PDB file of all heavy atoms in Angstrom:
ATOM      1  N   PRO B 197      23.234  10.055 -58.133  1.00 82.00           N
ATOM      2  CA  PRO B 197      21.744  10.006 -57.868  1.00 82.00           C
ATOM      3  C   PRO B 197      21.272   8.641 -57.820  1.00 82.00           C
ATOM      4  O   PRO B 197      21.887   7.773 -58.654  1.00 82.00           O
ATOM      5  CB  PRO B 197      21.171  10.823 -58.976  1.00 82.00           C
ATOM      6  CG  PRO B 197      22.354  11.650 -59.300  1.00 82.00           C
ATOM      7  CD  PRO B 197      23.593  10.920 -59.094  1.00 82.00           C
ATOM      8  N   PRO B 243      24.432  16.384 -51.784  1.00 81.00           N
ATOM      9  CA  PRO B 243      23.517  16.011 -52.902  1.00 81.00           C
ATOM     10  C   PRO B 243      24.068  15.034 -53.859  1.00 81.00           C
ATOM     11  O   PRO B 243      25.361  14.918 -53.974  1.00 81.00           O
ATOM     12  CB  PRO B 243      23.471  17.407 -53.671  1.00 81.00           C
ATOM     13  CG  PRO B 243      23.877  18.378 -52.723  1.00 81.00           C
ATOM     14  CD  PRO B 243      24.784  17.826 -51.727  1.00 81.00           C
ATOM     15  N   SER B 247      29.651  13.336 -60.886  1.00 85.00           N
ATOM     16  CA  SER B 247      31.082  13.558 -60.904  1.00 85.00           C
ATOM     17  C   SER B 247      31.352  14.774 -59.989  1.00 85.00           C
ATOM     18  O   SER B 247      30.457  15.368 -59.429  1.00 85.00           O
ATOM     19  CB  SER B 247      31.585  13.809 -62.252  1.00 85.00           C
ATOM     20  OG  SER B 247      31.250  15.063 -62.693  1.00 85.00           O
ATOM     21  N   LYS B 266      36.533  19.509 -45.264  1.00 85.00           N
ATOM     22  CA  LYS B 266      37.473  18.386 -44.930  1.00 85.00           C
ATOM     23  C   LYS B 266      36.997  17.465 -43.925  1.00 85.00           C
ATOM     24  O   LYS B 266      37.398  17.306 -42.798  1.00 85.00           O
ATOM     25  CB  LYS B 266      38.814  19.009 -44.462  1.00 85.00           C
ATOM     26  CG  LYS B 266      39.554  19.861 -45.549  1.00 85.00           C
ATOM     27  CD  LYS B 266      40.970  20.146 -45.095  1.00 85.00           C
ATOM     28  CE  LYS B 266      41.732  20.763 -46.275  1.00 85.00           C
ATOM     29  NZ  LYS B 266      41.399  22.034 -46.651  1.00 85.00           N
ATOM     30  N   LYS B 334      19.666  -3.207 -43.668  1.00 87.00           N
ATOM     31  CA  LYS B 334      20.686  -4.245 -43.362  1.00 87.00           C
ATOM     32  C   LYS B 334      22.098  -3.667 -43.562  1.00 87.00           C
ATOM     33  O   LYS B 334      22.419  -2.875 -44.480  1.00 87.00           O
ATOM     34  CB  LYS B 334      20.581  -5.467 -44.413  1.00 87.00           C
ATOM     35  CG  LYS B 334      19.383  -6.359 -43.881  1.00 87.00           C
ATOM     36  CD  LYS B 334      19.343  -7.525 -44.868  1.00 87.00           C
ATOM     37  CE  LYS B 334      18.028  -8.283 -44.499  1.00 87.00           C
ATOM     38  NZ  LYS B 334      17.875  -9.421 -45.509  1.00 87.00           N
ATOM     39  N   GLY B 335      22.936  -4.057 -42.587  1.00 90.00           N
ATOM     40  CA  GLY B 335      24.372  -3.652 -42.747  1.00 90.00           C
ATOM     41  C   GLY B 335      24.754  -2.267 -42.217  1.00 90.00           C
ATOM     42  O   GLY B 335      25.884  -1.787 -42.156  1.00 90.00           O
ATOM     43  N   ASP B 341      30.335   0.359 -37.188  1.00 93.00           N
ATOM     44  CA  ASP B 341      31.548  -0.200 -36.592  1.00 93.00           C
ATOM     45  C   ASP B 341      32.803   0.076 -37.514  1.00 93.00           C
ATOM     46  O   ASP B 341      33.820   0.403 -37.034  1.00 93.00           O
ATOM     47  CB  ASP B 341      31.458  -1.774 -36.426  1.00 93.00           C
ATOM     48  CG  ASP B 341      30.394  -2.068 -35.415  1.00 93.00           C
ATOM     49  OD1 ASP B 341      30.077  -1.216 -34.554  1.00 93.00           O
ATOM     50  OD2 ASP B 341      29.726  -3.200 -35.489  1.00 93.00           O
ATOM     51  N   LYS B 348      39.869   5.234 -36.012  1.00 88.00           N
ATOM     52  CA  LYS B 348      40.837   4.895 -35.068  1.00 88.00           C
ATOM     53  C   LYS B 348      42.127   4.495 -35.742  1.00 88.00           C
ATOM     54  O   LYS B 348      43.189   4.786 -35.371  1.00 88.00           O
ATOM     55  CB  LYS B 348      40.350   3.852 -33.955  1.00 88.00           C
ATOM     56  CG  LYS B 348      39.383   4.353 -33.069  1.00 88.00           C
ATOM     57  CD  LYS B 348      39.110   3.423 -31.981  1.00 88.00           C
ATOM     58  CE  LYS B 348      38.376   2.134 -32.321  1.00 88.00           C
ATOM     59  NZ  LYS B 348      37.913   1.402 -31.125  1.00 88.00           N
ATOM     60  N   LEU B 398      43.712  20.492 -66.167  1.00 91.00           N
ATOM     61  CA  LEU B 398      43.744  19.861 -67.526  1.00 91.00           C
ATOM     62  C   LEU B 398      42.313  19.539 -68.045  1.00 91.00           C
ATOM     63  O   LEU B 398      42.058  19.626 -69.284  1.00 91.00           O
ATOM     64  CB  LEU B 398      44.634  18.619 -67.439  1.00 91.00           C
ATOM     65  CG  LEU B 398      46.077  18.820 -67.594  1.00 91.00           C
ATOM     66  CD1 LEU B 398      46.856  17.338 -67.302  1.00 91.00           C
ATOM     67  CD2 LEU B 398      46.538  19.388 -68.940  1.00 91.00           C
ATOM     68  N   THR B 412      43.995  33.991 -56.836  1.00 78.00           N
ATOM     69  CA  THR B 412      45.399  34.230 -57.334  1.00 78.00           C
ATOM     70  C   THR B 412      45.622  35.536 -57.819  1.00 78.00           C
ATOM     71  O   THR B 412      44.569  36.132 -58.431  1.00 78.00           O
ATOM     72  CB  THR B 412      45.799  33.104 -58.294  1.00 78.00           C
ATOM     73  OG1 THR B 412      44.909  33.021 -59.357  1.00 78.00           O
ATOM     74  CG2 THR B 412      46.021  31.831 -57.594  1.00 78.00           C
ATOM     75  N   MET B 491      -1.991  11.065 -64.786  1.00 81.00           N
ATOM     76  CA  MET B 491      -2.258  12.316 -64.300  1.00 81.00           C
ATOM     77  C   MET B 491      -3.842  12.577 -63.985  1.00 81.00           C
ATOM     78  O   MET B 491      -4.143  13.108 -62.919  1.00 81.00           O
ATOM     79  CB  MET B 491      -1.835  13.403 -65.358  1.00 81.00           C
ATOM     80  CG  MET B 491      -0.305  13.459 -65.558  1.00 81.00           C
ATOM     81  SD  MET B 491       0.613  13.919 -64.060  1.00 81.00           S
ATOM     82  CE  MET B 491       1.285  12.377 -63.626  1.00 81.00           C
ATOM     83  N   LEU B 592       4.601  20.089 -62.509  1.00 79.00           N
ATOM     84  CA  LEU B 592       3.523  19.189 -61.930  1.00 79.00           C
ATOM     85  C   LEU B 592       3.373  19.321 -60.442  1.00 79.00           C
ATOM     86  O   LEU B 592       2.258  19.433 -60.021  1.00 79.00           O
ATOM     87  CB  LEU B 592       4.010  17.778 -62.208  1.00 79.00           C
ATOM     88  CG  LEU B 592       3.015  16.649 -61.995  1.00 79.00           C
ATOM     89  CD1 LEU B 592       1.883  16.722 -63.031  1.00 79.00           C
ATOM     90  CD2 LEU B 592       3.644  15.257 -62.143  1.00 79.00           C
ATOM     91  N   PHE B 679      19.361  17.227 -72.823  1.00 80.00           N
ATOM     92  CA  PHE B 679      18.620  16.358 -71.964  1.00 80.00           C
ATOM     93  C   PHE B 679      19.474  14.990 -71.755  1.00 80.00           C
ATOM     94  O   PHE B 679      19.652  14.256 -72.719  1.00 80.00           O
ATOM     95  CB  PHE B 679      17.271  16.006 -72.590  1.00 80.00           C
ATOM     96  CG  PHE B 679      16.472  15.187 -71.804  1.00 80.00           C
ATOM     97  CD1 PHE B 679      15.676  15.601 -70.715  1.00 80.00           C
ATOM     98  CD2 PHE B 679      16.294  13.784 -72.060  1.00 80.00           C
ATOM     99  CE1 PHE B 679      14.923  14.805 -69.937  1.00 80.00           C
ATOM    100  CE2 PHE B 679      15.411  12.946 -71.325  1.00 80.00           C
ATOM    101  CZ  PHE B 679      14.780  13.495 -70.176  1.00 80.00           C
ATOM    102  N   GLY B 710      -0.270  27.296 -39.868  1.00 76.00           N
ATOM    103  CA  GLY B 710      -0.161  27.582 -38.450  1.00 76.00           C
ATOM    104  C   GLY B 710       0.572  28.879 -38.117  1.00 76.00           C
ATOM    105  O   GLY B 710       0.545  29.330 -37.014  1.00 76.00           O
ATOM    106  N   PRO B 755     -10.754  49.352 -63.092  1.00 92.00           N
ATOM    107  CA  PRO B 755     -10.868  48.955 -64.625  1.00 92.00           C
ATOM    108  C   PRO B 755     -10.945  47.512 -64.824  1.00 92.00           C
ATOM    109  O   PRO B 755     -11.238  47.116 -65.926  1.00 92.00           O
ATOM    110  CB  PRO B 755      -9.482  49.540 -65.058  1.00 92.00           C
ATOM    111  CG  PRO B 755      -8.897  50.393 -64.012  1.00 92.00           C
ATOM    112  CD  PRO B 755      -9.540  50.064 -62.807  1.00 92.00           C
ATOM    113  N   SER B 865      -6.629  40.792 -66.994  1.00 94.00           N
ATOM    114  CA  SER B 865      -7.913  40.962 -66.341  1.00 94.00           C
ATOM    115  C   SER B 865      -8.638  42.313 -66.999  1.00 94.00           C
ATOM    116  O   SER B 865      -9.807  42.261 -67.213  1.00 94.00           O
ATOM    117  CB  SER B 865      -7.889  41.192 -64.734  1.00 94.00           C
ATOM    118  OG  SER B 865      -7.403  40.000 -64.285  1.00 94.00           O
TER     119      SER B 865
END
Side-chain angles (χ1 to χ4, degrees):
Chain B
S247 74
K266 294 189 172 65
K334 287 186 182 169
D341 293 336
K348 286 196 288 194
L398 277 176
T412 49
M491 292 302 101
L592 189 67
F679 185 75
S865 297

